[in-house]
Amino acid sequence: MSKPRIAEWTELRGLAYLAVVLQHCIGEYIYRSDIQQPDSVMLAMLYHLTRFGTPTFVFLSAALLFYNGNKPIGYPRYIGRRFRDIYVPFLCWTVVYWICTQNWSTAQWGNIYFYKGMLEEMIIPVSGYHLWFVVMIFQFYILFPLFAKAAGRVQAFLRRYSTKRRKQLVLAVMLIAAAAYALLLQWSYYDMSAWSTRLPSFWQTLLDYRTYNFVMYFFYFMLGAVCAYMTDTWRGLAQQTLPWNVFVFIGLFMLMGHTMLIQSGDTINLNISTYLKPSTFVLIVSQLLLSYGLLLHLQKDKRSEPFRRMLNWIGRYSFGGYLAHALVLSFISYFTRPLSLGDHHFTATLITFIVVASVSLGISWLFAHLPGGNWIVGSKGRQRLNWRPFRFQFPSSKRASKSTQELG
C-alpha cells in the first residue's frame, strides 16, 4: 500500500523555490553601481531570509527518497527514472543557457571550442549559474541505494530498543553529525582555500569546486532521512520548538546581518553568508524548523487554505521553475540594467521577484502539460506527488519481503 502524502513537504518546496528566486533577484540588483546605501542594506537583510532555500531542496529530496522506500525495484530502472526526470532536463537547460551566453555569429557555431565548452558546462555549469545544484543533488540519487542499505541496518539496530530510547539515540547521532558538519564548514570557509594552494592539481580542483560536492550538504540529507522515518516525531519537534525557534532565528538573523554589513565595507558582499559557513548552517536549520512548524500551524487554520493551495501548486512545478528562472531573470535584466533606478532598487527587486517567479512557474506548467514536456521540466507536478513507494536493491540481492517501518 502506498503511504499517505505529506502535504507540508510540497508546500515547503514551494517556499524553498520562492526563496531561491528571491535570492537571485537580490544578487542581480545589489551589486549595481548606482544602488544607494538604504536599498543595499535592506537587500542584504532580506537576503538572509532566503538562506534556507537550496538546503531545503536537499532535505526534501532525501525525505521523499527514504519515505517512498518500501517496494523492490532494480537499480538500472531506478537510475533510469532519475536520469529521465532530473538529468535530461538539466542537459536541455544547460544547452539553452550556454547558447544564450555565447556569440551568435555563424563562425561561433563552426568552432569546435563552442561544443567543447558546452560539454564542460554539463559537468561544471557556469552559464546557468544555478544548475550546479542539479549536479550536486544527482550525486545523492546515484548513491542512494547505499544510503538506503545503511538506513536499513540502522533501523534493524534500533528495533531492539524502546521508542523513547530510539529517539534519544537518533538525537545523539544527529547532534554528533551536526558537530562534524559544522567542523567541515569551518574548514571549508576559513581553511580550504589555503589548502588548495599546497595540493596537487586534482585535489586543488576538488576544493575549488567543493560547492558541487554532495559531501558538503550531507547533514541536510540526514535530516531528510530522519524526517521520512520519524515523520510524527519530526512534526512534534517542529511544533514544540516553534516559540523558542522564533527567538533563535531573530537572534541569528540580526547577528549575521550585522556581520555582513561590518565585513562588507562600502560594497555589500553576499558571499560572506555563503551556505558553507558554520553560522549560516545554524541559521538554515533554524529557518527549516521554523518554516516546517509554521506550515503545520497553518494546517489548523481554515483561513490559510488559499495560501496553502498556492504553495502546493508552486511546489508541484518548482523544479521546472527552478531550471527556467535564471533565464527569465536574465531577460528582465537586459532591460533593467541600462536604467538608472536611484533609490528604487529595493522596489525593483521585489517586482522582479514576483515577475520571475510567476513567469518561470508558468513556463514549467506549460511544458508539463505538453507532450514530451517531461524532457524539459521533469515529470509533471501531479505525477511527482503520486510516486509509488519502492525499496532499492542491487541486482544480486534477494527481494525484500518486509516494508520499511518507522524508527519512532
Side-chain angles (χ1 to χ4, degrees), residues 147-196:
F147 299 143
K149 196 169 185 178
R153 293 184 177 180
V154 171
Q155 283 182 284
F157 171 78
L158 291 175
R159 288 193 188 104
R160 68 185 69 176
Y161 298 102
S162 65
T163 300
K164 181 179 179 180
R165 184 59 174 167
R166 293 178 195 174
K167 294 178 181 179
Q168 292 174 344
L169 289 172
V170 171
L171 177 61
V173 170
M174 294 306 296
L175 289 176
I176 294 173
Y181 185 65
L183 180 60
L184 176 64
L185 297 187
Q186 176 79 12
W187 291 339
S188 173
Y189 191 79
Y190 295 101
D191 303 319
M192 286 187 180
S193 296
W195 294 352
S196 64

Short mmCIF file of all heavy atoms in Angstrom, two decimals, residues 147-196:
data_model
loop_
_atom_site.label_atom_id
_atom_site.label_comp_id
_atom_site.label_asym_id
_atom_site.label_seq_id
_atom_site.Cartn_x
_atom_site.Cartn_y
_atom_site.Cartn_z
N PHE A 147 22.90 4.48 0.66
CA PHE A 147 22.34 5.16 1.83
C PHE A 147 21.13 4.40 2.37
O PHE A 147 20.94 4.29 3.58
CB PHE A 147 21.93 6.59 1.45
CG PHE A 147 23.06 7.45 0.98
CD1 PHE A 147 22.87 8.37 -0.04
CD2 PHE A 147 24.31 7.35 1.54
CE1 PHE A 147 23.90 9.18 -0.48
CE2 PHE A 147 25.37 8.15 1.11
CZ PHE A 147 25.16 9.06 0.09
N ALA A 148 20.30 3.88 1.47
CA ALA A 148 19.11 3.13 1.89
C ALA A 148 19.50 1.84 2.61
O ALA A 148 18.87 1.45 3.60
CB ALA A 148 18.24 2.82 0.68
N LYS A 149 20.55 1.20 2.12
CA LYS A 149 21.01 -0.02 2.77
C LYS A 149 21.55 0.28 4.16
O LYS A 149 21.28 -0.47 5.12
CB LYS A 149 22.10 -0.67 1.91
CG LYS A 149 22.39 -2.12 2.27
CD LYS A 149 23.28 -2.76 1.21
CE LYS A 149 23.47 -4.25 1.50
NZ LYS A 149 24.29 -4.91 0.45
N ALA A 150 22.30 1.38 4.29
CA ALA A 150 22.80 1.77 5.60
C ALA A 150 21.66 2.12 6.55
O ALA A 150 21.67 1.77 7.73
CB ALA A 150 23.74 2.97 5.45
N ALA A 151 20.65 2.82 6.02
CA ALA A 151 19.49 3.17 6.84
C ALA A 151 18.75 1.93 7.31
O ALA A 151 18.25 1.87 8.44
CB ALA A 151 18.55 4.09 6.05
N GLY A 152 18.67 0.91 6.46
CA GLY A 152 18.02 -0.34 6.85
C GLY A 152 18.74 -1.00 8.01
O GLY A 152 18.10 -1.55 8.92
N ARG A 153 20.06 -0.96 8.00
CA ARG A 153 20.82 -1.55 9.11
C ARG A 153 20.62 -0.76 10.39
O ARG A 153 20.55 -1.33 11.48
CB ARG A 153 22.29 -1.62 8.73
CG ARG A 153 22.58 -2.61 7.60
CD ARG A 153 24.07 -2.72 7.31
NE ARG A 153 24.33 -3.72 6.28
CZ ARG A 153 25.55 -4.01 5.82
NH1 ARG A 153 26.61 -3.39 6.31
NH2 ARG A 153 25.69 -4.94 4.88
N VAL A 154 20.54 0.55 10.26
CA VAL A 154 20.28 1.38 11.43
C VAL A 154 18.92 1.06 12.01
O VAL A 154 18.74 0.95 13.24
CB VAL A 154 20.38 2.87 11.06
CG1 VAL A 154 19.90 3.75 12.22
CG2 VAL A 154 21.80 3.24 10.67
N GLN A 155 17.92 0.91 11.14
CA GLN A 155 16.58 0.53 11.61
C GLN A 155 16.61 -0.79 12.36
O GLN A 155 15.99 -0.93 13.43
CB GLN A 155 15.63 0.42 10.42
CG GLN A 155 15.15 1.73 9.86
CD GLN A 155 14.18 1.50 8.73
OE1 GLN A 155 14.59 1.16 7.62
NE2 GLN A 155 12.91 1.67 9.00
N ALA A 156 17.30 -1.78 11.78
CA ALA A 156 17.38 -3.09 12.43
C ALA A 156 18.03 -2.99 13.80
O ALA A 156 17.62 -3.67 14.76
CB ALA A 156 18.15 -4.07 11.54
N PHE A 157 19.04 -2.14 13.91
CA PHE A 157 19.71 -1.95 15.20
C PHE A 157 18.80 -1.28 16.22
O PHE A 157 18.76 -1.67 17.39
CB PHE A 157 20.98 -1.11 14.98
CG PHE A 157 21.64 -0.67 16.27
CD1 PHE A 157 22.42 -1.56 16.99
CD2 PHE A 157 21.47 0.63 16.75
CE1 PHE A 157 23.03 -1.16 18.18
CE2 PHE A 157 22.07 1.03 17.93
CZ PHE A 157 22.85 0.13 18.65
N LEU A 158 18.02 -0.30 15.79
CA LEU A 158 17.18 0.47 16.71
C LEU A 158 15.94 -0.29 17.17
O LEU A 158 15.35 0.05 18.20
CB LEU A 158 16.77 1.78 16.06
CG LEU A 158 17.88 2.81 15.84
CD1 LEU A 158 17.35 4.01 15.08
CD2 LEU A 158 18.47 3.26 17.19
N ARG A 159 15.52 -1.30 16.42
CA ARG A 159 14.30 -2.02 16.79
C ARG A 159 14.42 -2.75 18.12
O ARG A 159 13.41 -3.11 18.73
CB ARG A 159 13.93 -3.02 15.68
CG ARG A 159 13.40 -2.37 14.42
CD ARG A 159 12.75 -3.40 13.50
NE ARG A 159 12.44 -2.79 12.21
CZ ARG A 159 13.12 -2.96 11.10
NH1 ARG A 159 14.19 -3.75 11.11
NH2 ARG A 159 12.77 -2.37 9.98
N ARG A 160 15.64 -2.98 18.55
CA ARG A 160 15.82 -3.70 19.82
C ARG A 160 15.55 -2.81 21.03
O ARG A 160 15.50 -3.29 22.16
CB ARG A 160 17.23 -4.27 19.89
CG ARG A 160 18.32 -3.22 20.02
CD ARG A 160 19.72 -3.81 19.96
NE ARG A 160 20.03 -4.32 18.63
CZ ARG A 160 21.22 -4.81 18.30
NH1 ARG A 160 22.19 -4.88 19.21
NH2 ARG A 160 21.44 -5.21 17.07
N TYR A 161 15.38 -1.50 20.79
CA TYR A 161 15.18 -0.55 21.88
C TYR A 161 13.74 -0.05 21.91
O TYR A 161 12.99 -0.17 20.94
CB TYR A 161 16.13 0.65 21.74
CG TYR A 161 17.60 0.27 21.80
CD1 TYR A 161 18.36 0.17 20.63
CD2 TYR A 161 18.21 0.00 23.01
CE1 TYR A 161 19.70 -0.18 20.67
CE2 TYR A 161 19.56 -0.34 23.08
CZ TYR A 161 20.30 -0.44 21.91
OH TYR A 161 21.62 -0.79 21.96
N SER A 162 13.38 0.54 23.02
CA SER A 162 12.06 1.14 23.16
C SER A 162 11.98 2.41 22.31
O SER A 162 12.99 2.95 21.87
CB SER A 162 11.77 1.48 24.62
OG SER A 162 12.68 2.49 25.07
N THR A 163 10.74 2.87 22.10
CA THR A 163 10.55 4.07 21.28
C THR A 163 11.29 5.26 21.86
O THR A 163 11.93 6.03 21.12
CB THR A 163 9.04 4.39 21.17
OG1 THR A 163 8.37 3.29 20.57
CG2 THR A 163 8.82 5.64 20.34
N LYS A 164 11.20 5.43 23.17
CA LYS A 164 11.88 6.57 23.81
C LYS A 164 13.39 6.48 23.62
O LYS A 164 14.05 7.48 23.32
CB LYS A 164 11.53 6.61 25.29
CG LYS A 164 12.16 7.77 26.04
CD LYS A 164 11.76 7.78 27.51
CE LYS A 164 12.42 8.95 28.24
NZ LYS A 164 12.02 8.96 29.69
N ARG A 165 13.92 5.28 23.79
CA ARG A 165 15.35 5.09 23.65
C ARG A 165 15.79 5.31 22.20
O ARG A 165 16.87 5.87 21.95
CB ARG A 165 15.73 3.67 24.09
CG ARG A 165 17.22 3.38 24.08
CD ARG A 165 17.99 4.32 24.99
NE ARG A 165 19.38 3.95 25.08
CZ ARG A 165 20.33 4.73 25.60
NH1 ARG A 165 20.00 5.91 26.09
NH2 ARG A 165 21.57 4.31 25.64
N ARG A 166 14.97 4.91 21.24
CA ARG A 166 15.30 5.14 19.83
C ARG A 166 15.46 6.62 19.55
O ARG A 166 16.39 7.05 18.88
CB ARG A 166 14.20 4.58 18.94
CG ARG A 166 14.04 3.09 18.93
CD ARG A 166 12.88 2.71 18.04
NE ARG A 166 12.44 1.34 18.25
CZ ARG A 166 11.38 0.81 17.68
NH1 ARG A 166 10.65 1.53 16.86
NH2 ARG A 166 11.04 -0.44 17.91
N LYS A 167 14.51 7.39 20.04
CA LYS A 167 14.55 8.84 19.81
C LYS A 167 15.80 9.46 20.42
O LYS A 167 16.43 10.34 19.82
CB LYS A 167 13.30 9.50 20.38
CG LYS A 167 12.01 9.10 19.67
CD LYS A 167 10.81 9.76 20.32
CE LYS A 167 9.52 9.34 19.63
NZ LYS A 167 8.32 9.96 20.28
N GLN A 168 16.17 8.99 21.59
CA GLN A 168 17.37 9.51 22.24
C GLN A 168 18.62 9.18 21.44
O GLN A 168 19.52 10.02 21.28
CB GLN A 168 17.47 8.94 23.66
CG GLN A 168 16.40 9.43 24.61
CD GLN A 168 16.45 8.72 25.95
OE1 GLN A 168 17.07 7.66 26.10
NE2 GLN A 168 15.79 9.30 26.95
N LEU A 169 18.69 7.95 20.93
CA LEU A 169 19.85 7.54 20.14
C LEU A 169 19.93 8.33 18.83
O LEU A 169 21.02 8.77 18.43
CB LEU A 169 19.78 6.04 19.85
CG LEU A 169 20.01 5.11 21.04
CD1 LEU A 169 19.72 3.66 20.64
CD2 LEU A 169 21.44 5.24 21.55
N VAL A 170 18.79 8.51 18.17
CA VAL A 170 18.78 9.27 16.92
C VAL A 170 19.19 10.71 17.18
O VAL A 170 19.97 11.30 16.41
CB VAL A 170 17.38 9.21 16.26
CG1 VAL A 170 17.31 10.18 15.08
CG2 VAL A 170 17.08 7.80 15.79
N LEU A 171 18.68 11.29 18.26
CA LEU A 171 19.05 12.66 18.61
C LEU A 171 20.55 12.77 18.86
O LEU A 171 21.19 13.73 18.40
CB LEU A 171 18.27 13.12 19.83
CG LEU A 171 18.59 14.53 20.36
CD1 LEU A 171 18.29 15.58 19.28
CD2 LEU A 171 17.81 14.83 21.63
N ALA A 172 21.11 11.81 19.57
CA ALA A 172 22.55 11.84 19.85
C ALA A 172 23.36 11.75 18.56
O ALA A 172 24.34 12.49 18.38
CB ALA A 172 22.91 10.69 20.79
N VAL A 173 22.96 10.85 17.66
CA VAL A 173 23.67 10.71 16.39
C VAL A 173 23.59 12.00 15.57
O VAL A 173 24.58 12.44 14.97
CB VAL A 173 23.09 9.52 15.59
CG1 VAL A 173 23.64 9.51 14.16
CG2 VAL A 173 23.42 8.21 16.28
N MET A 174 22.41 12.62 15.54
CA MET A 174 22.24 13.84 14.75
C MET A 174 23.05 14.99 15.34
O MET A 174 23.57 15.84 14.61
CB MET A 174 20.77 14.21 14.66
CG MET A 174 19.93 13.21 13.87
SD MET A 174 20.59 12.88 12.21
CE MET A 174 20.42 14.50 11.46
N LEU A 175 23.15 15.05 16.66
CA LEU A 175 23.96 16.10 17.28
C LEU A 175 25.44 15.92 16.94
O LEU A 175 26.16 16.89 16.68
CB LEU A 175 23.75 16.11 18.79
CG LEU A 175 22.39 16.61 19.27
CD1 LEU A 175 22.28 16.46 20.80
CD2 LEU A 175 22.16 18.06 18.87
N ILE A 176 25.89 14.67 16.96
CA ILE A 176 27.28 14.39 16.58
C ILE A 176 27.51 14.74 15.11
O ILE A 176 28.53 15.34 14.75
CB ILE A 176 27.62 12.91 16.85
CG1 ILE A 176 27.58 12.63 18.35
CG2 ILE A 176 28.99 12.56 16.27
CD1 ILE A 176 27.74 11.15 18.70
N ALA A 177 26.55 14.37 14.26
CA ALA A 177 26.65 14.69 12.83
C ALA A 177 26.65 16.19 12.60
O ALA A 177 27.38 16.70 11.74
CB ALA A 177 25.50 14.03 12.06
N ALA A 178 25.84 16.91 13.38
CA ALA A 178 25.80 18.37 13.25
C ALA A 178 27.13 18.99 13.64
O ALA A 178 27.61 19.93 12.98
CB ALA A 178 24.68 18.94 14.11
N ALA A 179 27.74 18.48 14.71
CA ALA A 179 29.05 18.99 15.12
C ALA A 179 30.11 18.70 14.06
O ALA A 179 30.94 19.56 13.74
CB ALA A 179 29.45 18.36 16.46
N ALA A 180 30.08 17.49 13.50
CA ALA A 180 31.04 17.14 12.44
C ALA A 180 30.82 18.01 11.21
O ALA A 180 31.79 18.46 10.57
CB ALA A 180 30.90 15.66 12.08
N TYR A 181 29.56 18.26 10.88
CA TYR A 181 29.26 19.09 9.71
C TYR A 181 29.70 20.53 9.94
O TYR A 181 30.24 21.16 9.02
CB TYR A 181 27.76 19.03 9.41
CG TYR A 181 27.35 19.75 8.16
CD1 TYR A 181 27.78 19.31 6.91
CD2 TYR A 181 26.54 20.88 8.21
CE1 TYR A 181 27.41 19.96 5.75
CE2 TYR A 181 26.17 21.54 7.04
CZ TYR A 181 26.61 21.08 5.82
OH TYR A 181 26.24 21.74 4.67
N ALA A 182 29.48 21.03 11.14
CA ALA A 182 29.92 22.39 11.45
C ALA A 182 31.45 22.51 11.35
O ALA A 182 31.97 23.52 10.86
CB ALA A 182 29.46 22.79 12.85
N LEU A 183 32.15 21.46 11.77
CA LEU A 183 33.61 21.46 11.65
C LEU A 183 34.02 21.44 10.19
O LEU A 183 34.97 22.15 9.79
CB LEU A 183 34.18 20.24 12.38
CG LEU A 183 35.71 20.10 12.36
CD1 LEU A 183 36.37 21.31 13.01
CD2 LEU A 183 36.13 18.81 13.06
N LEU A 184 33.34 20.66 9.37
CA LEU A 184 33.62 20.63 7.93
C LEU A 184 33.42 22.01 7.32
O LEU A 184 34.24 22.46 6.49
CB LEU A 184 32.71 19.61 7.25
CG LEU A 184 32.80 19.52 5.72
CD1 LEU A 184 34.18 19.06 5.28
CD2 LEU A 184 31.71 18.59 5.17
N LEU A 185 32.35 22.69 7.70
CA LEU A 185 32.11 24.03 7.17
C LEU A 185 33.14 25.03 7.68
O LEU A 185 33.50 25.97 6.97
CB LEU A 185 30.70 24.49 7.56
CG LEU A 185 29.54 23.67 7.00
CD1 LEU A 185 28.21 24.34 7.32
CD2 LEU A 185 29.67 23.49 5.49
N GLN A 186 33.60 24.83 8.92
CA GLN A 186 34.66 25.68 9.45
C GLN A 186 35.92 25.57 8.59
O GLN A 186 36.54 26.57 8.22
CB GLN A 186 34.97 25.26 10.89
CG GLN A 186 36.14 26.00 11.55
CD GLN A 186 35.77 27.37 12.05
OE1 GLN A 186 34.59 27.71 12.10
NE2 GLN A 186 36.77 28.17 12.40
N TRP A 187 36.27 24.35 8.24
CA TRP A 187 37.42 24.14 7.35
C TRP A 187 37.16 24.74 5.97
O TRP A 187 38.05 25.36 5.38
CB TRP A 187 37.71 22.65 7.23
CG TRP A 187 38.24 22.02 8.48
CD1 TRP A 187 38.85 22.65 9.52
CD2 TRP A 187 38.20 20.63 8.82
NE1 TRP A 187 39.19 21.76 10.50
CE2 TRP A 187 38.81 20.50 10.10
CE3 TRP A 187 37.71 19.49 8.19
CZ2 TRP A 187 38.94 19.27 10.74
CZ3 TRP A 187 37.85 18.26 8.82
CH2 TRP A 187 38.45 18.15 10.08
N SER A 188 35.95 24.53 5.47
CA SER A 188 35.63 25.00 4.13
C SER A 188 35.71 26.52 4.03
O SER A 188 36.27 27.06 3.07
CB SER A 188 34.23 24.53 3.74
OG SER A 188 33.82 25.10 2.52
N TYR A 189 35.17 27.21 5.02
CA TYR A 189 35.07 28.66 4.94
C TYR A 189 36.38 29.36 5.26
O TYR A 189 36.71 30.38 4.65
CB TYR A 189 33.98 29.15 5.91
CG TYR A 189 33.61 30.60 5.73
CD1 TYR A 189 32.76 31.00 4.71
CD2 TYR A 189 34.11 31.58 6.59
CE1 TYR A 189 32.41 32.33 4.54
CE2 TYR A 189 33.77 32.90 6.43
CZ TYR A 189 32.92 33.28 5.41
OH TYR A 189 32.59 34.61 5.25
N TYR A 190 37.15 28.79 6.19
CA TYR A 190 38.34 29.50 6.68
C TYR A 190 39.67 28.90 6.22
O TYR A 190 40.68 29.61 6.19
CB TYR A 190 38.34 29.55 8.21
CG TYR A 190 37.20 30.36 8.78
CD1 TYR A 190 36.07 29.72 9.30
CD2 TYR A 190 37.23 31.75 8.79
CE1 TYR A 190 35.01 30.47 9.83
CE2 TYR A 190 36.19 32.49 9.32
CZ TYR A 190 35.08 31.85 9.83
OH TYR A 190 34.03 32.59 10.35
N ASP A 191 39.70 27.60 5.88
CA ASP A 191 40.99 26.94 5.69
C ASP A 191 41.21 26.35 4.29
O ASP A 191 42.36 26.29 3.84
CB ASP A 191 41.17 25.82 6.72
CG ASP A 191 41.06 26.33 8.15
OD1 ASP A 191 41.60 27.43 8.42
OD2 ASP A 191 40.44 25.65 8.98
N MET A 192 40.18 25.87 3.63
CA MET A 192 40.38 25.08 2.41
C MET A 192 40.98 25.87 1.26
O MET A 192 41.67 25.30 0.42
CB MET A 192 39.05 24.45 1.97
CG MET A 192 38.63 23.28 2.84
SD MET A 192 37.17 22.43 2.19
CE MET A 192 36.96 21.15 3.44
N SER A 193 40.74 27.16 1.22
CA SER A 193 41.34 27.97 0.16
C SER A 193 42.87 27.94 0.26
O SER A 193 43.57 27.88 -0.75
CB SER A 193 40.83 29.41 0.23
OG SER A 193 39.44 29.45 -0.01
N ALA A 194 43.37 27.97 1.49
CA ALA A 194 44.82 27.91 1.69
C ALA A 194 45.34 26.50 1.42
O ALA A 194 46.45 26.33 0.89
CB ALA A 194 45.17 28.33 3.12
N TRP A 195 44.55 25.48 1.74
CA TRP A 195 44.99 24.12 1.49
C TRP A 195 45.19 23.87 -0.01
O TRP A 195 46.14 23.19 -0.41
CB TRP A 195 43.94 23.12 2.00
CG TRP A 195 43.77 23.11 3.48
CD1 TRP A 195 44.52 23.78 4.41
CD2 TRP A 195 42.76 22.40 4.21
NE1 TRP A 195 44.06 23.54 5.67
CE2 TRP A 195 42.98 22.69 5.59
CE3 TRP A 195 41.72 21.57 3.86
CZ2 TRP A 195 42.17 22.17 6.59
CZ3 TRP A 195 40.92 21.03 4.85
CH2 TRP A 195 41.13 21.32 6.19
N SER A 196 44.28 24.41 -0.82
CA SER A 196 44.31 24.11 -2.25
C SER A 196 45.60 24.56 -2.93
O SER A 196 46.01 23.99 -3.93
CB SER A 196 43.11 24.75 -2.94
OG SER A 196 43.17 26.17 -2.86
#
